[in-house]
Amino acid sequence: MTSTSSTHKTSEVPLLDVLVAGGGAAGLAAAVTLARSRRSVTVVDSGQPRNAPAEGVHALLGREGISPAELLAAGRSEVAGYGGEVLDGEIAAVRRLEDGLFEATLRGGAYEGTVLTARRLLIATGLQDELPDVPGLAERWGRDVIHCPYCHGWEVRDRSILVLGTSPNSVHQALLFSQLSADVRFLEDTAQGPGLDADQARMLASRGIEVTAGAAAGLETAARGGEDRLVGVRLTDGELLPAEVVVVATRMLARTEAFEPLGLRLEENPMGRFIAAEAMGRTTVPGVWAAGNSADPSAQVGAAAAAGTMAAAQINAELVMEGLV
């Protein structure tokens, strides 16, 4: 994705009010809010959003079905329109200086080695999905291998859906997808998942979800109508479980490597690992905020953008109060 900002390094980089790490929905919404408050703000982003494989963004009021690339391009343009800056690249390392400022070193493209200094840091780098070790899942991720009924459910309604029981969240997924299709099956994969207890088995049965025990060996595809279509999941015993759609619970890991030396507190739950932050985005490290999937793995695009806006408002207010005599 082409940045709307300058593509050349400057010899002297001024002190920023806010450095935003990550240019997804949360980071760009935060940058717009900050720029509209006349804050100097720079977003650093590699242009590789988590939802890039998806055909469209859903449940985003007024922009239903917009492609992820188009949405982010519009967001970058809005940031630039208010005087903010978006740089293509990544933050390789960041440290806190003795005076409380943050110094970040960039990598990638024209900004390799550039050092930025800011009064506040907002982490909105999102997360990466760790898929179960089943051949074929990664290649079809975001197409007919999905995880969220609210992101993709309408698009797969009334199709044959197989939920891989590889996570503590898998039963919950199966129950939600059964609202969208009468043909939902559950693979109790005890080689990778926790297995079902009596209450879970009862809940699945009450929704008419058939349970099969076995281990997934890989996905099966076939050419249909000139397209490569998913036809099912092959088990290690040779049985093929037919399916047009596979639902899988990923382990979602916030992209925090560059920021962990600051002393961020991370939290873990069955969904994955993320940055511990208050409702408005304040982390345990003074001057550092987090928004979007970095702090909330379950946030869809709209919620992530709202979190970025709220965090930005809090940062701006904190900077205003800091300047009072």
Side-chain angles (χ1 to χ4, degrees), residues 7-8 30 34 65 67-68 73 91 93 100 104 121-122 149 163 178 224-225 244 248 252 255 265 298 307 317:
T7 58
H8 300 285
L34 289 161
S67 75
I91 294 179
L121 173 65
L122 173 61
V163 180
S178 70
R224 291 181 179 175
E244 298 172 278
V248 60
M252 296 178 281
R255 298 185 175 102
R265 183 166 69 86
S298 66

Side-chain angles (χ1 to χ4, degrees), residues 11-288:
S11 57
E12 274 189 49
V13 179
L15 174 65
L16 297 167
D17 286 325
V18 186
L19 173 61
V20 178
L28 293 176
V32 168
T33 300
L34 289 161
R36 282 174 54 83
S37 293
R38 307 189 75 174
R39 293 294 178 188
S40 57
V41 57
T42 291
V43 179
V44 178
D45 181 65
S46 63
Q48 298 176 340
R50 175 196 181 200
N51 62 354
E55 291 185 1
V57 174
H58 301 291
L60 184 61
L61 189 63
R63 304 308 298 271
E64 174 62 31
I66 187 174
S67 75
E70 184 181 353
L71 178 65
L72 297 187
R76 285 184 169 210
S77 178
E78 290 168 5
V79 171
Y82 287 110
E85 186 177 40
V86 181
L87 305 183
D88 290 312
E90 297 178 315
I91 294 179
V94 61
R95 66 189 183 103
R96 189 168 187 172
L97 306 178
E98 291 184 2
D99 56 7
L101 300 178
F102 297 94
E103 184 181 86
T105 302
L106 309 189
R107 67 177 169 217
Y111 299 100
E112 180 73 34
T114 295
V115 176
L116 300 177
T117 307
R119 299 166 67 190
R120 296 293 186 273
L121 173 65
L122 173 61
I123 302 172
T125 46
L127 54 81
Q128 58 187 8
D129 292 285
E130 186 177 84
L131 294 165
D133 185 19
V134 176
L137 282 182
E139 292 79 1
R140 308 193 73 83
W141 176 241
R143 296 165 56 197
D144 41 27
V145 174
I146 60 177
H147 74 297
C148 174
Y150 304 109
C151 303
H152 312 286
W154 174 263
E155 285 66 39
V156 301
R157 66 194 185 282
D158 296 328
R159 297 170 70 183
S160 60
I161 299 172
L162 178 65
V163 180
L164 301 188
T166 58
S167 162
N169 290 322
S170 298
V171 170
H172 184 62
Q173 285 181 307
L175 295 174
L176 294 180
F177 273 95
S178 70
Q179 176 63 25
L180 297 157
S181 174
D183 187 3
V184 177
R185 301 177 70 181
F186 186 90
L187 175 61
E188 185 181 12
D189 192 338
T190 54
Q192 297 197 54
L196 298 174
D197 60 30
D199 284 341
Q200 290 173 324
R202 176 188 54 77
M203 287 189 290
L204 293 175
S206 70
R207 294 290 293 186
I209 300 171
E210 180 183 342
V211 176
T212 298
L219 272 59
E220 294 277 332
T221 62
R224 291 181 179 175
E227 295 182 12
D228 179 33
R229 301 282 186 91
L230 176 67
V231 296
V233 173
R234 183 75 63 181
L235 304 185
T236 53
D237 65 4
E239 181 182 1
L240 178 68
L241 296 181
E244 298 172 278
V245 179
V246 168
V247 172
V248 60
T250 66
R251 179 166 165 74
M252 296 178 281
L253 305 175
R255 298 185 175 102
T256 60
E257 294 81 0
F259 313 103
E260 290 178 23
L262 295 173
L264 289 172
R265 183 166 69 86
L266 303 180
E267 292 186 352
E268 295 206 23
N269 65 21
M271 296 182 71
R273 183 178 68 243
F274 54 97
I275 299 172
E278 298 175 2
M280 296 296 182
R282 189 189 301 272
T283 74
T284 54
V285 178
V288 180

